[in-house]
Structures are given as structure tokens and as C-alpha cells.
Amino acid sequence: MKRVVAGNWKMNHGPAAARDYLARFRPPTGEGTARVLLFPPTVSLAAAVAAADGVPGVEIGVQDVNEAASGAFTGETSPVMAREAGATLTLVGHSERRQLYGEDDARVAAKVEAAFAAGLTPVVCVGETLEERRQGRLREVLLRQLDAVLEVLDPGSSWLLAYEPVWAIGTGETATPEDASEAHGILRRRLDAAGLDTGAIPILYGGSVKPANARELMSAPDVDGVLVGGASLDPEDFAAIAEAGTV
Ligand code: PEP
């Protein structure tokens, strides 16, 4: 499987910075190079889509969508409008959405359905908190988050999964390749048990990925790529991570 390297800018890089970034971003090209996805903030979506036109192979998504196509939802992003504005993907269930904005599994599942209906490919994020990990609840938490989404999925649909342990996001604390493989294995086996084609569903690791650890993490069994926050903000660092994803 072609690896996937995704960058989540979170609430960073306005339209001018997005244009500047994409003018400087030189992802690797050629045989075996990773699929590169970028998730700018919604206000920079149009600028990023236009600027990405000149960068071969870069796909642009949004960081979140509302479950409704339109209506009285002040401040929210419609999946239909995001698609119209040029996004082809969306993150769903990022831990910051779950933790800071109270999104539960049912809401995440509704967003996944809405993304598919709008023609966006969802990147579904799951992951345990430090407390849950310490309580030995890794498997239970991951499967609860995954099962909510599996209930609303059409078996043949195209989507991606990201394992992002909450304790490793933005903390500088990275899961070991063994930790990542263990969690990815749990997820992969569940996809398999649900009768899905696991070879067609990339599982990305996210949590303090940097140029220095990206290659090792992506070489771990069952890790098909990475979802990068902080280190995706610099075009050279992110290009180095994308390069590390070449097979
Ligand atoms: C993220 O926000 O998805 C993430 C993994 O962040 P960081 O790489 O900064 O830990």
C-alpha cells in the first residue's frame, strides 16, 4: 500500500501563510512516494486549494465538518460547502474536537455519514487518554470509537483511520513503534472481523511525529502512514516526513 502522510495545521496559517507554504513545499515525487494530505484551517481552504494546484499530488481537506449540509449552525463548516470549495477530505473525531468541544462517538459517526454524503473522504481519528491507557482500557476505548463509525459505513467506501493517542498529541511524547503497532493491530483486526478490506483502509499514526522519528514509525508493522500536527507547519519539515514515507 502507498503510504499516507497527512498534515493538520490546526488553527495556524491564514490564507497568505497557506499560499506561502505551498509555494515552498516540495513533496517527493515518483515511484513509491507517499500520498500527501494537508488540512488547513477552513478560512484558508480556498487559498490552499488554489495554491495546491501547482504542487503535484497534494490533496486538501478540512479539519472538521458539521453533520448538517446547511442551516442555522453559526460558525460551523458544511461538508457540502467544503466539497464545493475544493476539499476532498475531512478529519473527523480529532481528539481536540472530542476533548475541547465535547464530540461523542454518536456525533463523530453522524459527521462521517455527512462527509460521505457530501463526497468527502473521512479520516477518522481515534485514541485513548493517558488515564484510559493506565487503566488498561486501550482496546476497549479504541473499539468503542471505531465501532460507532463502522455502524454507519458502507462496506465498500473509501476512508482512512488515524490512531492518535491523546497523551502523545502536541506533547513531544511519541508512542514507540511497538505501541503504535499494538494499537493499529487492534484496529486492523476489528476491520477484518467486520468483513472490510483492511488493505484498502490506511491506518495512520499521529502524535508528535517529526522528521527524526517518522521513518521508524512508518516502518512499524500495521502503520500505513502518519498524521502530523506541529511538524507539518514547516514546509521543509513536512516534506522531510513525506520523504520518509517513500517505500
Ligand atoms: C495532531 O494534531 O493530529 C497531532 C498529531 O499533533 P502533533 O503532531 O503536534 O502531536
Side-chain angles (χ1 to χ4, degrees):
M1 182 194 295
K2 202 174 167 69
R3 290 210 181 107
V4 181
V5 173
N8 171 18
W9 289 352
K10 310 194 187 193
M11 203 168 70
N12 298 289
H13 292 339
R19 278 190 289 272
D20 177 61
Y21 183 108
L22 283 155
R24 291 163 52 207
F25 183 48
R26 294 280 167 273
T29 51
E31 195 76 10
T33 49
R35 187 176 163 196
V36 176
L37 322 179
L38 271 178
F39 296 87
T42 310
V43 289
S44 304
L45 174 63
V49 166
D53 221 20
V55 192
V58 177
E59 301 166 59
I60 304 288
V62 283
Q63 298 173 9
D64 183 42
V65 287
N66 191 272
E67 51 272 50
S70 63
F73 303 105
T74 303
E76 289 291 280
T77 300
S78 152
V80 174
M81 296 175 202
R83 180 72 195 91
E84 184 189 341
T88 54
L89 304 117
T90 182
L91 301 179
V92 182
H94 189 278
S95 67
E96 285 153 16
R97 300 298 316 174
R98 292 182 191 260
Q99 302 228 306
L100 303 176
Y101 302 99
E103 290 187 7
D104 60 11
D105 294 331
R107 187 113 201 261
V108 171
K111 289 181 177 212
V112 168
E113 275 191 293
F116 279 126
L120 294 173
T121 300
V123 180
V124 178
C125 305
V126 298
E128 82 290 3
T129 63
L130 186 57
E131 196 187 356
E132 289 163 341
R133 170 168 276 261
R134 285 191 176 139
Q135 290 167 347
R137 296 173 53 213
L138 171 70
R139 189 171 185 281
E140 171 212 318
V141 171
L142 293 187
L143 295 185
R144 191 201 72 222
Q145 293 176 346
L146 176 60
D147 286 351
V149 168
L150 292 184
E151 273 176 34
V152 301
L153 271 177
D154 283 337
S157 35
S158 159
W159 60 294
L160 298 85
L161 189 53
Y163 167 60
E164 298 207 303
V166 179
W167 47 271
I169 295 187
T171 58
E173 186 101 13
T174 316
T176 63
E178 293 72 29
D179 290 335
S181 280
E182 181 195 4
H184 287 219
I186 291 169
L187 296 167
R188 178 94 62 205
R189 285 191 290 279
R190 186 63 131 218
L191 296 175
D192 219 10
L196 299 173
D197 176 6
T198 59
I201 304 165
I203 308 180
L204 317 185
Y205 166 78
S208 298
V209 176
K210 314 178 251 307
N213 61 18
R215 193 176 300 275
E216 193 189 9
L217 283 161
M218 282 191 271
S219 305
D222 279 320
V223 178
D224 304 313
V226 285
L227 174 53
V228 188
S232 73
L233 292 176
D234 179 273
E236 274 96 45
D237 284 351
F238 190 54
I241 295 171
E243 178 67 52
T246 304
V247 286

